[in-house]
Every structure is written in C-alpha cells, then in structure tokens.
Amino acid sequence: MHEGPMAQPVFIDTHAHLDAAAFDADRHAMHLRARAAGVSTCVIPAVTAANFDTVRVLAHAQHDAYALGIHPLYALDASEDDVLQLDVALHTYRHDPRLVAVGEIGLDGFVPELNTPAALAQQQRLYKVQLRLAQQHQLPVILHVRRSADRLLKGLRDTPVVGGIAHAFNGSLQQAQAFIALGFKLGFGGALTYARALQLRRLATELPLSALVLETDAPDIPPHWLYATAEQRAAGQPQGRNEPAELPRVAQVLAELRGIPLDVLAAATSANARQALPRLQ
Ligand SMILES: [Zn+2]
C-alpha cells in the first residue's frame, strides 16, 4: 500500500510590503523561501502613488497580488494629484486579476505628527476619498488600524465598501465584531507570538475562525524569534527583518492558542482571505 507524503498546508500572506528596500538584496531568494514554506500568495499593498507601479510589477513577477492606495503615514505628503493617480490606476488595471483591493489606507492615531488637528483632518479627507474610490471601483479595502478603530468604523458606515481586511488588528472584541458585521476579516501576524500580548492572544483565540486572516506585515512586526531587544540593538544588532516565510510558524502559534491543527487553520484562513479579497486566486 502506497501512502503519499502529507500535503503541506498552504498559506496566504495578506499583507507584505515586499517592495521595501529591506528586501533589495535578496528579494528573489525571499520569494523562493516563502513558496518553499507553503506561502502560496502574498498581497503587496502600496503606500504612496510613487510605488503603484512597483507593487504591480512585483506582484506580476512573483505571481502574487497587490493593492493600490495611499497609507495614512503618507497622508501629509499626498496631493490631489496622487489621489487622481490612484483613480486612474484603479481604472487602468480594473481587469487585472492581481489587483485585489484598495490599500493600504486608513487612519493612524499613534504617530504624534499625524495627530495634530490639521494632520487628523488631512488623514480623514484622504481616508474618505479612498473609501469612495473603493466603492466606485467595487473593491475591498485593506485598512491600517492604529488607535483608530472607531473612526475607521464610522468612515465605513458613512461610505460603505464591499468589505476587506482590518490589518494588524489590535482593538477590542467589540471593535472586532463591528468590523466583522461590516464584512471585514481581521489580520493577525507576528504580534501574537509574544507571550505578553495577552489581550491580542485572547482576541485571536475568541474570535470565530471565519473572521481571521494571516499576515506578516513584512519587513515589519518581527515575530518574537526574530525580535532584537533594545539591549541587543544598542550592542549593534539590527532589528530582525520579517518575511513571508515566517508565516507558517506564526500560524503554528495561533493554531496552538486555538487548539486546532495547523492544516485546519491554514485552510480556513486561506478561504477567509479569498472571501475578503475575492479576486485572489
Ligand atoms: Zn502595511
């Protein structure tokens, strides 16, 4: 009797900034490591109009997916022309199956320079106009949520979109449920690998499996096994670089927290990602 090898679980990294300079030296090797680890697809979100072409070309070269949008951290630099470029790109590439969302958009309530009254107003304007574009182009959105969940939810109620992903989610259970009610999935990644992240771990365990998608946010949010402490950094060690190949190990932590097999988590979160971003193959 012949038994084949166990099928390797397949994962989707729903948020990876693979165009980042941190990958310039070994981008292709990083891509191959991801595939070898079972990460079948990465979603590469743009952050400014200046990298719209880069993320699109990279997604095609690597058989990944991409999103187009202006990140709130770039809100102060964004002009009317950038918004126009977004509209044009969403129109030009509307039949591109690798264009899966408007993103990364949202609101940042953490960075001090972005939380002056004028900067907040600019963030809100940019968020609102991008929600309208997502609405017009019938695309889901990938949201940056940092101390901004309630304001993001209000924006979604004012300007409803077809759904999407609240990326690197770290809000309350109530806020999570509000996103879910609006057709969103919640992105979890390296942050939940820290034993001290009690609230986040509880959230990732208590939410229905149908609400979760996986992400690395590479090159950021290193899991604990890559994290360099302040002491190590003071001694000259650089902060660990995250990459999509880490996703299965992050998923293993989540599977253990939830008490389910890894392959069940992989299958469910991949299906959830396709539900949130229907153009994902
Ligand atoms: Zn991001």
Side-chain angles (χ1 to χ4, degrees), residues 247-270:
L247 196 66
R249 198 168 160 197
V250 172
Q252 181 64 48
V253 174
L254 181 55
E256 281 166 19
L257 288 170
R258 294 188 68 103
I260 60 173
L262 181 62
D263 59 343
V264 171
L265 181 76
T269 53
S270 294

Side-chain angles (χ1 to χ4, degrees), residues 15 17 45 71 104 167 217:
H15 202 106
H17 295 281
H71 192 292
E104 175 173 359
H167 128 76
D217 202 21

Side-chain angles (χ1 to χ4, degrees), residues 16-262:
H17 295 281
L18 303 185
D19 61 315
F23 296 115
D24 283 353
D26 65 342
R27 187 166 285 105
H28 186 62
M30 173 268 294
H31 166 68
L32 295 177
R33 283 193 292 273
R35 291 299 189 269
V39 179
S40 66
T41 311
C42 300
V43 178
I44 311 169
V47 294
T48 71
N51 78 338
F52 288 173
D53 282 338
T54 312
V55 299
R56 179 175 51 79
V57 169
L58 184 59
H60 279 268
Q62 295 188 168
H63 299 97
D64 281 328
Y66 67 104
L68 296 177
I70 302 165
H71 192 292
L73 292 183
Y74 296 87
L76 298 186
D77 303 325
S79 65
E80 286 301 312
D81 185 61
D82 292 336
V83 174
L84 185 65
Q85 281 189 54
L86 176 59
D87 195 8
V88 168
L90 293 174
H91 183 75
T92 305
Y93 301 109
R94 66 193 180 283
H95 300 306
D96 183 351
R98 297 190 187 280
L99 171 58
V100 297
V102 171
E104 175 173 359
I105 68 170
L107 298 169
D108 191 291
F110 177 74
V111 175
E113 308 86 86
L114 287 168
N115 282 276
T116 65
L120 282 169
Q122 170 66 3
Q123 285 201 60
Q124 280 288 353
R125 270 195 301 275
L126 189 63
Y127 175 48
K128 175 110 187 165
V129 73
Q130 294 190 98
L131 284 181
R132 261 194 238 116
L133 289 177
Q135 204 179 44
Q136 285 161 18
H137 292 274
Q138 300 262 300
L139 282 168
V141 296
I142 296 173
L143 292 179
H144 172 92
V145 192
R146 192 153 58 159
R147 296 192 190 166
S148 57
D150 291 335
R151 287 179 291 134
L152 289 168
L153 287 162
K154 183 179 184 312
L156 291 169
R157 291 191 187 101
D158 293 344
T159 309
V161 297
V162 292
I165 294 171
H167 128 76
F169 189 78
N170 196 359
S172 68
L173 181 61
Q174 192 188 16
Q175 287 165 334
Q177 285 163 342
F179 277 108
I180 294 166
L182 292 170
F184 276 71
K185 307 293 183 192
L186 306 165
F188 288 91
L192 63 74
T193 63
Y194 295 82
R196 65 172 189 272
L198 295 177
Q199 200 204 322
L200 185 66
R201 287 180 155 210
R202 194 178 314 121
L203 189 66
T205 309
E206 287 176 356
L207 286 170
L209 185 55
S210 61
L212 309 185
V213 295
L214 298 173
E215 60 171 57
T216 56
D217 202 21
D220 300 322
I221 319 191
H224 81 77
W225 52 87
L226 293 179
Y227 183 78
T229 62
E231 199 175 40
Q232 289 167 325
R233 276 175 282 154
Q237 186 181 326
Q239 184 51 275
R241 185 191 69 172
N242 199 5
E243 63 173 67
E246 301 294 336
L247 196 66
R249 198 168 160 197
V250 172
Q252 181 64 48
V253 174
L254 181 55
E256 281 166 19
L257 288 170
R258 294 188 68 103
I260 60 173
L262 181 62

